[in-house]
Amino acid sequence: MATCYLPTPLRRLTNWQARIDVPSGSVDGMIAALDAKFPGLRAELCDESGEVKSFINLFVNGNEIR
């Protein structure tokens, strides 16, 4: 299990939750789990090709994984 921290502009899609626990494994799997729980979140995080948008920062244990 991993905890995703979402910035304020995205919290409108998560009922204003800042932290959400989702199954871990891969970034794509986590995004899929978030989108299943909060439809529309994937469209905010990923571009048309399915890649994470360039201005979205991803961190694992405090280290940026871009």
Side-chain angles (χ1 to χ4, degrees), residues 19-41:
R19 298 176 183 183
I20 301 162
D21 291 327
V22 293
S24 59
S26 68
V27 171
D28 191 52
M30 292 175 67
I31 291 173
L34 285 168
D35 194 57
K37 202 171 197 180
F38 305 103
L41 195 52

Side-chain angles (χ1 to χ4, degrees), residues 1-31:
M1 191 68 66
T3 301
C4 291
Y5 297 90
L6 295 170
T8 303
L10 295 177
R11 293 178 193 167
R12 63 184 163 73
L13 297 169
T14 64
N15 300 317
W16 301 104
Q17 295 178 66
R19 298 176 183 183
I20 301 162
D21 291 327
V22 293
S24 59
S26 68
V27 171
D28 191 52
M30 292 175 67
I31 291 173

Side-chain angles (χ1 to χ4, degrees), residues 1 6 13-14 18 20 22 41-43 47-49 51 53 58 60 64 66:
M1 191 68 66
L6 295 170
L13 297 169
T14 64
I20 301 162
V22 293
L41 195 52
R42 178 183 285 278
D47 62 20
E48 304 80 31
S49 68
E51 296 295 317
K53 292 180 179 178
L58 302 173
V60 175
E64 188 170 11
R66 232 347 124 169

